[in-house]
mmCIF file of all heavy atoms in Angstrom:
data_model
loop_
_atom_site.group_PDB
_atom_site.id
_atom_site.type_symbol
_atom_site.label_atom_id
_atom_site.label_comp_id
_atom_site.label_asym_id
_atom_site.label_seq_id
_atom_site.Cartn_x
_atom_site.Cartn_y
_atom_site.Cartn_z
ATOM 1 N N PHE A 1 3.762 -4.642 15.725
ATOM 2 C CA PHE A 1 2.965 -5.321 14.622
ATOM 3 C C PHE A 1 2.190 -4.187 13.954
ATOM 4 O O PHE A 1 2.138 -4.089 12.688
ATOM 5 C CB PHE A 1 2.161 -6.383 15.152
ATOM 6 C CG PHE A 1 1.381 -7.148 14.025
ATOM 7 C CD1 PHE A 1 2.033 -8.196 13.273
ATOM 8 C CD2 PHE A 1 0.096 -6.773 13.819
ATOM 9 C CE1 PHE A 1 1.398 -8.885 12.230
ATOM 10 C CE2 PHE A 1 -0.612 -7.445 12.704
ATOM 11 C CZ PHE A 1 0.024 -8.494 11.974
ATOM 12 N N LEU A 2 1.506 -3.366 14.786
ATOM 13 C CA LEU A 2 0.575 -2.329 14.199
ATOM 14 C C LEU A 2 1.453 -1.176 13.513
ATOM 15 O O LEU A 2 1.159 -0.730 12.398
ATOM 16 C CB LEU A 2 -0.165 -1.699 15.307
ATOM 17 C CG LEU A 2 -1.104 -0.473 14.725
ATOM 18 C CD1 LEU A 2 -2.080 -0.991 13.870
ATOM 19 C CD2 LEU A 2 -1.693 0.155 16.119
ATOM 20 N N ARG A 3 2.699 -0.947 14.096
ATOM 21 C CA ARG A 3 3.582 0.062 13.595
ATOM 22 C C ARG A 3 3.961 -0.414 12.141
ATOM 23 O O ARG A 3 3.989 0.337 11.271
ATOM 24 C CB ARG A 3 4.751 0.312 14.437
ATOM 25 C CG ARG A 3 5.497 1.567 14.128
ATOM 26 C CD ARG A 3 6.357 1.991 15.366
ATOM 27 N NE ARG A 3 7.172 0.871 15.928
ATOM 28 C CZ ARG A 3 7.204 0.534 17.094
ATOM 29 N NH1 ARG A 3 6.412 1.126 17.943
ATOM 30 N NH2 ARG A 3 8.030 -0.480 17.590
ATOM 31 N N GLU A 4 4.291 -1.659 11.988
ATOM 32 C CA GLU A 4 4.807 -2.249 10.768
ATOM 33 C C GLU A 4 3.674 -2.209 9.757
ATOM 34 O O GLU A 4 3.955 -1.746 8.543
ATOM 35 C CB GLU A 4 5.245 -3.652 10.984
ATOM 36 C CG GLU A 4 5.655 -4.398 9.660
ATOM 37 C CD GLU A 4 5.805 -5.889 9.840
ATOM 38 O OE1 GLU A 4 5.691 -6.324 11.085
ATOM 39 O OE2 GLU A 4 5.869 -6.564 8.879
ATOM 40 N N LYS A 5 2.541 -2.514 10.124
ATOM 41 C CA LYS A 5 1.392 -2.577 9.099
ATOM 42 C C LYS A 5 1.038 -1.102 8.705
ATOM 43 O O LYS A 5 0.847 -0.921 7.472
ATOM 44 C CB LYS A 5 0.049 -3.200 9.781
ATOM 45 C CG LYS A 5 0.124 -4.711 9.982
ATOM 46 C CD LYS A 5 0.176 -5.409 8.601
ATOM 47 C CE LYS A 5 0.111 -6.824 8.701
ATOM 48 N NZ LYS A 5 0.123 -7.482 7.369
ATOM 49 N N MET A 6 1.124 -0.249 9.629
ATOM 50 C CA MET A 6 0.631 1.144 9.126
ATOM 51 C C MET A 6 1.805 1.757 8.337
ATOM 52 O O MET A 6 1.516 2.538 7.416
ATOM 53 C CB MET A 6 0.495 2.034 10.452
ATOM 54 C CG MET A 6 -0.778 1.666 11.259
ATOM 55 S SD MET A 6 -2.303 1.646 10.317
ATOM 56 C CE MET A 6 -2.388 3.356 9.775
ATOM 57 N N ALA A 7 3.023 1.401 8.686
ATOM 58 C CA ALA A 7 4.176 2.003 7.895
ATOM 59 C C ALA A 7 4.075 1.449 6.392
ATOM 60 O O ALA A 7 4.261 2.175 5.444
ATOM 61 C CB ALA A 7 5.468 1.476 8.573
ATOM 62 N N ARG A 8 3.632 0.210 6.339
ATOM 63 C CA ARG A 8 3.508 -0.545 4.919
ATOM 64 C C ARG A 8 2.424 0.362 4.176
ATOM 65 O O ARG A 8 2.581 0.733 3.029
ATOM 66 C CB ARG A 8 3.144 -1.804 4.908
ATOM 67 C CG ARG A 8 4.480 -2.643 5.264
ATOM 68 C CD ARG A 8 4.103 -4.231 5.335
ATOM 69 N NE ARG A 8 5.158 -5.029 5.611
ATOM 70 C CZ ARG A 8 5.172 -6.409 5.653
ATOM 71 N NH1 ARG A 8 4.033 -6.963 5.494
ATOM 72 N NH2 ARG A 8 6.133 -7.068 6.052
ATOM 73 N N LEU A 9 1.227 0.384 4.841
ATOM 74 C CA LEU A 9 0.130 1.068 4.252
ATOM 75 C C LEU A 9 0.393 2.517 3.876
ATOM 76 O O LEU A 9 0.066 2.953 2.726
ATOM 77 C CB LEU A 9 -1.057 0.928 5.149
ATOM 78 C CG LEU A 9 -2.401 1.643 4.642
ATOM 79 C CD1 LEU A 9 -2.865 1.021 3.350
ATOM 80 C CD2 LEU A 9 -3.494 1.533 5.706
ATOM 81 N N LEU A 10 0.917 3.251 4.817
ATOM 82 C CA LEU A 10 1.170 4.778 4.635
ATOM 83 C C LEU A 10 2.261 5.024 3.657
ATOM 84 O O LEU A 10 2.357 6.096 3.076
ATOM 85 C CB LEU A 10 1.311 5.387 5.977
ATOM 86 C CG LEU A 10 0.058 5.375 6.913
ATOM 87 C CD1 LEU A 10 0.489 6.029 8.180
ATOM 88 C CD2 LEU A 10 -1.114 6.080 6.279
ATOM 89 N N GLY A 11 3.218 4.001 3.623
ATOM 90 C CA GLY A 11 4.479 4.260 2.737
ATOM 91 C C GLY A 11 4.244 3.903 1.294
ATOM 92 O O GLY A 11 5.022 4.402 0.489
ATOM 93 N N VAL A 12 3.307 3.123 0.919
ATOM 94 C CA VAL A 12 3.116 2.775 -0.464
ATOM 95 C C VAL A 12 2.751 3.893 -1.396
ATOM 96 O O VAL A 12 3.549 4.139 -2.468
ATOM 97 C CB VAL A 12 1.902 1.693 -0.518
ATOM 98 C CG1 VAL A 12 1.597 1.589 -2.060
ATOM 99 C CG2 VAL A 12 2.415 0.404 -0.110
ATOM 100 N N VAL A 13 1.887 4.757 -1.138
ATOM 101 C CA VAL A 13 1.364 5.785 -2.001
ATOM 102 C C VAL A 13 2.473 6.826 -2.264
ATOM 103 O O VAL A 13 2.755 7.152 -3.385
ATOM 104 C CB VAL A 13 0.093 6.511 -1.564
ATOM 105 C CG1 VAL A 13 -0.323 7.642 -2.430
ATOM 106 C CG2 VAL A 13 -1.036 5.520 -1.611
ATOM 107 N N PRO A 14 3.164 7.416 -1.242
ATOM 108 C CA PRO A 14 4.052 8.411 -1.472
ATOM 109 C C PRO A 14 5.327 7.728 -2.284
ATOM 110 O O PRO A 14 5.783 8.407 -3.135
ATOM 111 C CB PRO A 14 4.547 8.841 -0.160
ATOM 112 C CG PRO A 14 3.417 8.507 0.787
ATOM 113 C CD PRO A 14 2.739 7.296 0.173
ATOM 114 N N GLN A 15 5.659 6.506 -2.036
ATOM 115 C CA GLN A 15 6.719 5.887 -2.751
ATOM 116 C C GLN A 15 6.411 5.625 -4.134
ATOM 117 O O GLN A 15 7.252 5.907 -4.968
ATOM 118 C CB GLN A 15 7.131 4.471 -2.115
ATOM 119 C CG GLN A 15 7.701 4.752 -0.650
ATOM 120 C CD GLN A 15 7.709 3.478 0.164
ATOM 121 O OE1 GLN A 15 7.105 2.543 -0.279
ATOM 122 N NE2 GLN A 15 8.209 3.534 1.307
ATOM 123 N N VAL A 16 5.203 5.268 -4.552
ATOM 124 C CA VAL A 16 4.764 5.010 -5.912
ATOM 125 C C VAL A 16 4.755 6.328 -6.607
ATOM 126 O O VAL A 16 5.246 6.507 -7.730
ATOM 127 C CB VAL A 16 3.375 4.388 -5.986
ATOM 128 C CG1 VAL A 16 2.893 4.332 -7.271
ATOM 129 C CG2 VAL A 16 3.463 3.015 -5.465
ATOM 130 N N SER A 17 4.303 7.444 -5.986
ATOM 131 C CA SER A 17 4.177 8.755 -6.628
ATOM 132 C C SER A 17 5.564 9.294 -6.926
ATOM 133 O O SER A 17 5.755 10.107 -7.812
ATOM 134 C CB SER A 17 3.381 9.795 -5.726
ATOM 135 O OG SER A 17 4.151 9.954 -4.553
ATOM 136 N N GLN A 18 6.574 8.854 -6.208
ATOM 137 C CA GLN A 18 7.978 9.348 -6.351
ATOM 138 C C GLN A 18 8.631 8.366 -7.438
ATOM 139 O O GLN A 18 9.747 8.677 -7.813
ATOM 140 C CB GLN A 18 8.742 9.356 -5.164
ATOM 141 C CG GLN A 18 8.152 10.375 -4.074
ATOM 142 C CD GLN A 18 8.822 10.133 -2.673
ATOM 143 O OE1 GLN A 18 9.795 9.413 -2.581
ATOM 144 N NE2 GLN A 18 8.252 10.941 -1.704
ATOM 145 N N GLY A 19 7.971 7.395 -7.931
ATOM 146 C CA GLY A 19 8.639 6.412 -8.765
ATOM 147 C C GLY A 19 9.643 5.551 -8.177
ATOM 148 O O GLY A 19 10.446 5.013 -8.953
ATOM 149 N N TRP A 20 9.547 5.507 -6.852
ATOM 150 C CA TRP A 20 10.582 4.495 -6.236
ATOM 151 C C TRP A 20 9.943 3.870 -4.929
ATOM 152 O O TRP A 20 9.119 4.499 -4.202
ATOM 153 C CB TRP A 20 11.843 5.373 -5.840
ATOM 154 C CG TRP A 20 13.053 4.524 -5.382
ATOM 155 C CD1 TRP A 20 13.405 4.407 -4.025
ATOM 156 C CD2 TRP A 20 13.848 3.674 -6.115
ATOM 157 N NE1 TRP A 20 14.414 3.535 -4.091
ATOM 158 C CE2 TRP A 20 14.697 2.950 -5.281
ATOM 159 C CE3 TRP A 20 13.871 3.434 -7.383
ATOM 160 C CZ2 TRP A 20 15.645 2.150 -5.695
ATOM 161 C CZ3 TRP A 20 14.928 2.481 -7.902
ATOM 162 C CH2 TRP A 20 15.820 1.937 -7.033
ATOM 163 N N GLY A 21 10.346 2.744 -4.674
ATOM 164 C CA GLY A 21 9.774 1.997 -3.488
ATOM 165 C C GLY A 21 10.801 1.162 -2.842
ATOM 166 O O GLY A 21 11.872 1.037 -3.296
ATOM 167 N N PRO A 22 10.376 0.646 -1.727
ATOM 168 C CA PRO A 22 11.376 -0.261 -0.962
ATOM 169 C C PRO A 22 11.948 -1.455 -1.702
ATOM 170 O O PRO A 22 12.946 -1.963 -1.537
ATOM 171 C CB PRO A 22 10.609 -0.827 0.213
ATOM 172 C CG PRO A 22 9.094 -0.549 -0.097
ATOM 173 C CD PRO A 22 9.163 0.652 -1.032
ATOM 174 N N SER A 23 11.079 -1.919 -2.737
ATOM 175 C CA SER A 23 11.430 -3.005 -3.529
ATOM 176 C C SER A 23 12.329 -2.540 -4.775
ATOM 177 O O SER A 23 12.990 -3.310 -5.434
ATOM 178 C CB SER A 23 10.286 -3.792 -3.983
ATOM 179 O OG SER A 23 9.465 -2.981 -4.866
ATOM 180 N N GLY A 24 12.350 -1.296 -5.030
ATOM 181 C CA GLY A 24 12.936 -0.840 -6.204
ATOM 182 C C GLY A 24 12.208 -0.877 -7.457
ATOM 183 O O GLY A 24 12.668 -0.667 -8.587
ATOM 184 N N SER A 25 10.894 -1.416 -7.334
ATOM 185 C CA SER A 25 10.072 -1.607 -8.440
ATOM 186 C C SER A 25 8.669 -0.959 -8.309
ATOM 187 O O SER A 25 8.002 -1.127 -7.340
ATOM 188 C CB SER A 25 9.846 -3.119 -8.604
ATOM 189 O OG SER A 25 8.794 -3.354 -9.523
ATOM 190 N N ILE A 26 8.352 0.042 -9.128
ATOM 191 C CA ILE A 26 7.103 0.722 -9.005
ATOM 192 C C ILE A 26 5.976 -0.351 -9.259
ATOM 193 O O ILE A 26 4.958 -0.242 -8.520
ATOM 194 C CB ILE A 26 6.937 1.778 -10.255
ATOM 195 C CG1 ILE A 26 8.020 2.891 -9.994
ATOM 196 C CG2 ILE A 26 5.610 2.295 -10.264
ATOM 197 C CD1 ILE A 26 7.976 3.930 -11.079
ATOM 198 N N LEU A 27 6.180 -1.292 -10.119
ATOM 199 C CA LEU A 27 5.089 -2.221 -10.368
ATOM 200 C C LEU A 27 4.853 -3.106 -9.144
ATOM 201 O O LEU A 27 3.632 -3.448 -8.695
ATOM 202 C CB LEU A 27 5.508 -3.265 -11.396
ATOM 203 C CG LEU A 27 4.518 -4.202 -11.870
ATOM 204 C CD1 LEU A 27 3.200 -3.589 -12.409
ATOM 205 C CD2 LEU A 27 5.029 -5.187 -13.047
ATOM 206 N N HIS A 28 5.829 -3.398 -8.377
ATOM 207 C CA HIS A 28 5.685 -4.284 -7.124
ATOM 208 C C HIS A 28 4.962 -3.492 -6.101
ATOM 209 O O HIS A 28 4.047 -3.959 -5.394
ATOM 210 C CB HIS A 28 7.104 -4.514 -6.648
ATOM 211 C CG HIS A 28 7.017 -5.365 -5.371
ATOM 212 N ND1 HIS A 28 7.085 -4.720 -4.136
ATOM 213 C CD2 HIS A 28 7.042 -6.801 -5.067
ATOM 214 C CE1 HIS A 28 7.057 -5.726 -3.152
ATOM 215 N NE2 HIS A 28 6.994 -6.867 -3.744
ATOM 216 N N ASP A 29 5.294 -2.093 -5.986
ATOM 217 C CA ASP A 29 4.674 -1.391 -4.936
ATOM 218 C C ASP A 29 3.203 -1.014 -5.334
ATOM 219 O O ASP A 29 2.235 -1.008 -4.501
ATOM 220 C CB ASP A 29 5.272 0.077 -4.778
ATOM 221 C CG ASP A 29 6.644 -0.205 -4.105
ATOM 222 O OD1 ASP A 29 6.760 -1.115 -3.297
ATOM 223 O OD2 ASP A 29 7.599 0.535 -4.295
ATOM 224 N N LEU A 30 2.872 -0.942 -6.782
ATOM 225 C CA LEU A 30 1.459 -0.896 -7.099
ATOM 226 C C LEU A 30 0.715 -1.993 -6.811
ATOM 227 O O LEU A 30 -0.481 -1.937 -6.390
ATOM 228 C CB LEU A 30 1.425 -0.587 -8.700
ATOM 229 C CG LEU A 30 1.741 0.934 -9.150
ATOM 230 C CD1 LEU A 30 1.868 0.960 -10.628
ATOM 231 C CD2 LEU A 30 0.610 1.797 -8.562
ATOM 232 N N ARG A 31 1.271 -3.199 -6.941
ATOM 233 C CA ARG A 31 0.603 -4.442 -6.618
ATOM 234 C C ARG A 31 0.204 -4.462 -5.078
ATOM 235 O O ARG A 31 -0.940 -4.876 -4.706
ATOM 236 C CB ARG A 31 1.406 -5.574 -6.915
ATOM 237 C CG ARG A 31 1.387 -6.037 -8.527
ATOM 238 C CD ARG A 31 1.718 -7.480 -8.667
ATOM 239 N NE ARG A 31 3.281 -7.738 -8.185
ATOM 240 C CZ ARG A 31 4.225 -7.659 -9.093
ATOM 241 N NH1 ARG A 31 4.007 -7.372 -10.308
ATOM 242 N NH2 ARG A 31 5.344 -7.913 -8.678
ATOM 243 N N ARG A 32 1.105 -3.991 -4.339
ATOM 244 C CA ARG A 32 0.909 -3.909 -2.963
ATOM 245 C C ARG A 32 -0.252 -3.045 -2.648
ATOM 246 O O ARG A 32 -1.076 -3.139 -1.740
ATOM 247 C CB ARG A 32 2.095 -3.436 -2.101
ATOM 248 C CG ARG A 32 3.165 -4.648 -2.004
ATOM 249 C CD ARG A 32 4.496 -4.055 -1.292
ATOM 250 N NE ARG A 32 4.308 -3.473 -0.113
ATOM 251 C CZ ARG A 32 5.133 -2.573 0.460
ATOM 252 N NH1 ARG A 32 6.294 -2.326 -0.128
ATOM 253 N NH2 ARG A 32 4.790 -2.027 1.762
ATOM 254 N N ALA A 33 -0.292 -1.786 -3.232
ATOM 255 C CA ALA A 33 -1.283 -0.832 -3.093
ATOM 256 C C ALA A 33 -2.733 -1.291 -3.501
ATOM 257 O O ALA A 33 -3.736 -1.131 -2.792
ATOM 258 C CB ALA A 33 -0.963 0.491 -3.720
ATOM 259 N N ILE A 34 -2.692 -1.975 -4.582
ATOM 260 C CA ILE A 34 -3.840 -2.567 -5.200
ATOM 261 C C ILE A 34 -4.475 -3.721 -4.168
ATOM 262 O O ILE A 34 -5.804 -3.734 -4.074
ATOM 263 C CB ILE A 34 -3.687 -3.213 -6.522
ATOM 264 C CG1 ILE A 34 -3.370 -2.113 -7.534
ATOM 265 C CG2 ILE A 34 -4.843 -4.043 -6.919
ATOM 266 C CD1 ILE A 34 -2.879 -2.705 -8.911
ATOM 267 N N LYS A 35 -3.721 -4.218 -3.439
ATOM 268 C CA LYS A 35 -4.163 -5.189 -2.521
ATOM 269 C C LYS A 35 -5.105 -4.564 -1.467
ATOM 270 O O LYS A 35 -5.975 -5.300 -1.018
ATOM 271 C CB LYS A 35 -2.966 -5.736 -1.657
ATOM 272 C CG LYS A 35 -3.404 -6.750 -0.544
ATOM 273 C CD LYS A 35 -2.119 -7.206 0.280
ATOM 274 C CE LYS A 35 -2.629 -8.091 1.421
ATOM 275 N NZ LYS A 35 -1.438 -8.432 2.189
ATOM 276 N N PHE A 36 -4.975 -3.279 -1.215
ATOM 277 C CA PHE A 36 -5.846 -2.710 -0.233
ATOM 278 C C PHE A 36 -7.093 -1.980 -0.842
ATOM 279 O O PHE A 36 -8.002 -1.309 -0.177
ATOM 280 C CB PHE A 36 -5.193 -1.606 0.551
ATOM 281 C CG PHE A 36 -4.049 -2.155 1.475
ATOM 282 C CD1 PHE A 36 -2.731 -2.192 1.096
ATOM 283 C CD2 PHE A 36 -4.418 -2.674 2.733
ATOM 284 C CE1 PHE A 36 -1.744 -2.756 1.904
ATOM 285 C CE2 PHE A 36 -3.411 -3.261 3.479
ATOM 286 C CZ PHE A 36 -2.180 -3.254 3.144
ATOM 287 N N LEU A 37 -7.182 -2.067 -2.188
ATOM 288 C CA LEU A 37 -8.250 -1.384 -2.948
ATOM 289 C C LEU A 37 -9.696 -1.852 -2.510
ATOM 290 O O LEU A 37 -10.585 -1.097 -2.225
ATOM 291 C CB LEU A 37 -8.229 -1.581 -4.432
ATOM 292 C CG LEU A 37 -7.272 -0.532 -5.104
ATOM 293 C CD1 LEU A 37 -7.172 -0.765 -6.641
ATOM 294 C CD2 LEU A 37 -7.672 0.860 -4.870
ATOM 295 N N PRO A 38 -9.885 -3.333 -2.251
ATOM 296 C CA PRO A 38 -11.235 -3.667 -1.829
ATOM 297 C C PRO A 38 -11.629 -3.079 -0.506
ATOM 298 O O PRO A 38 -12.845 -2.814 -0.247
ATOM 299 C CB PRO A 38 -10.973 -5.181 -1.769
ATOM 300 C CG PRO A 38 -9.834 -5.576 -2.596
ATOM 301 C CD PRO A 38 -8.961 -4.381 -2.637
ATOM 302 N N LEU A 39 -10.659 -3.011 0.369
ATOM 303 C CA LEU A 39 -10.917 -2.352 1.742
ATOM 304 C C LEU A 39 -11.329 -0.828 1.628
ATOM 305 O O LEU A 39 -12.263 -0.535 2.115
ATOM 306 C CB LEU A 39 -9.656 -2.428 2.497
ATOM 307 C CG LEU A 39 -9.876 -1.800 3.919
ATOM 308 C CD1 LEU A 39 -10.771 -2.544 4.837
ATOM 309 C CD2 LEU A 39 -8.396 -1.798 4.772
ATOM 310 N N VAL A 40 -10.586 -0.095 0.672
ATOM 311 C CA VAL A 40 -10.989 1.200 0.435
ATOM 312 C C VAL A 40 -12.296 1.350 -0.141
ATOM 313 O O VAL A 40 -13.152 2.183 0.230
ATOM 314 C CB VAL A 40 -9.902 1.827 -0.521
ATOM 315 C CG1 VAL A 40 -10.326 3.273 -0.824
ATOM 316 C CG2 VAL A 40 -8.569 1.909 0.232
ATOM 317 N N ILE A 41 -12.585 0.457 -1.115
ATOM 318 C CA ILE A 41 -13.893 0.488 -1.765
ATOM 319 C C ILE A 41 -14.920 0.128 -0.809
ATOM 320 O O ILE A 41 -16.099 0.779 -0.738
ATOM 321 C CB ILE A 41 -14.016 -0.464 -3.007
ATOM 322 C CG1 ILE A 41 -12.998 0.022 -4.101
ATOM 323 C CG2 ILE A 41 -15.376 -0.641 -3.473
ATOM 324 C CD1 ILE A 41 -12.825 -1.029 -5.157
ATOM 325 N N SER A 42 -14.743 -0.731 0.025
ATOM 326 C CA SER A 42 -15.716 -1.274 1.148
ATOM 327 C C SER A 42 -16.060 -0.072 1.970
ATOM 328 O O SER A 42 -17.191 0.241 2.222
ATOM 329 C CB SER A 42 -15.203 -2.423 1.893
ATOM 330 O OG SER A 42 -16.047 -2.741 3.007
ATOM 331 N N PHE A 43 -14.978 0.588 2.457
ATOM 332 C CA PHE A 43 -15.286 1.825 3.485
ATOM 333 C C PHE A 43 -15.833 2.953 2.748
ATOM 334 O O PHE A 43 -16.638 3.726 3.320
ATOM 335 C CB PHE A 43 -14.100 2.083 4.221
ATOM 336 C CG PHE A 43 -13.772 1.218 5.337
ATOM 337 C CD1 PHE A 43 -13.258 -0.013 5.264
ATOM 338 C CD2 PHE A 43 -14.248 1.613 6.541
ATOM 339 C CE1 PHE A 43 -13.007 -0.824 6.269
ATOM 340 C CE2 PHE A 43 -13.999 0.828 7.722
ATOM 341 C CZ PHE A 43 -13.406 -0.371 7.615
ATOM 342 N N CYS A 44 -15.465 3.256 1.531
ATOM 343 C CA CYS A 44 -15.877 4.466 0.889
ATOM 344 C C CYS A 44 -17.185 4.314 0.098
ATOM 345 O O CYS A 44 -17.767 5.292 -0.113
ATOM 346 C CB CYS A 44 -14.808 4.875 -0.247
ATOM 347 S SG CYS A 44 -13.212 5.296 0.549
ATOM 348 N N VAL A 45 -17.499 3.241 -0.281
ATOM 349 C CA VAL A 45 -18.695 2.905 -1.007
ATOM 350 C C VAL A 45 -19.877 2.236 -0.217
ATOM 351 O O VAL A 45 -20.934 2.749 -0.066
ATOM 352 C CB VAL A 45 -18.475 2.220 -2.416
ATOM 353 C CG1 VAL A 45 -19.824 2.032 -3.113
ATOM 354 C CG2 VAL A 45 -17.536 2.902 -3.286
ATOM 355 N N ARG A 46 -19.503 1.046 0.215
ATOM 356 C CA ARG A 46 -20.511 0.218 0.869
ATOM 357 C C ARG A 46 -20.825 0.635 2.329
ATOM 358 O O ARG A 46 -22.003 0.812 2.701
ATOM 359 C CB ARG A 46 -20.129 -1.237 0.929
ATOM 360 C CG ARG A 46 -20.103 -1.931 -0.508
ATOM 361 C CD ARG A 46 -19.913 -3.443 -0.332
ATOM 362 N NE ARG A 46 -18.624 -3.865 0.466
ATOM 363 C CZ ARG A 46 -18.580 -4.589 1.438
ATOM 364 N NH1 ARG A 46 -19.669 -5.028 2.006
ATOM 365 N NH2 ARG A 46 -17.447 -4.872 1.939
#
C-alpha cells in the first residue's frame, strides 16, 4: 500500500514535466498533483 502511494506521489511531477503521464493526459496528472498542494503548503509554510 505504501509502495503504491509513494509511486503515485513521486511519479506525478516527472511525468508532468515530460508532457506525458499514466493517464495519457497532462491535465489529469496536474489535477492529481494539485491534490497534494495543501499538504505541501502545510508542511512548507505552517
Side-chain angles (χ1 to χ4, degrees):
F1 184 83
L2 178 62
R3 193 161 53 234
E4 175 193 351
K5 286 289 181 182
M6 292 307 297
R8 287 184 180 180
L9 176 62
L10 297 176
V12 166
V13 175
Q15 289 159 358
V16 170
S17 65
Q18 295 168 10
W20 188 256
S23 65
S25 166
I26 296 178
L27 184 60
H28 179 271
D29 289 329
L30 280 173
R31 281 200 298 264
R32 286 174 53 194
I34 290 171
K35 175 183 177 183
F36 293 100
L37 278 179
L39 179 66
V40 175
I41 293 171
S42 173
F43 274 84
C44 294
V45 180
R46 291 192 299 123

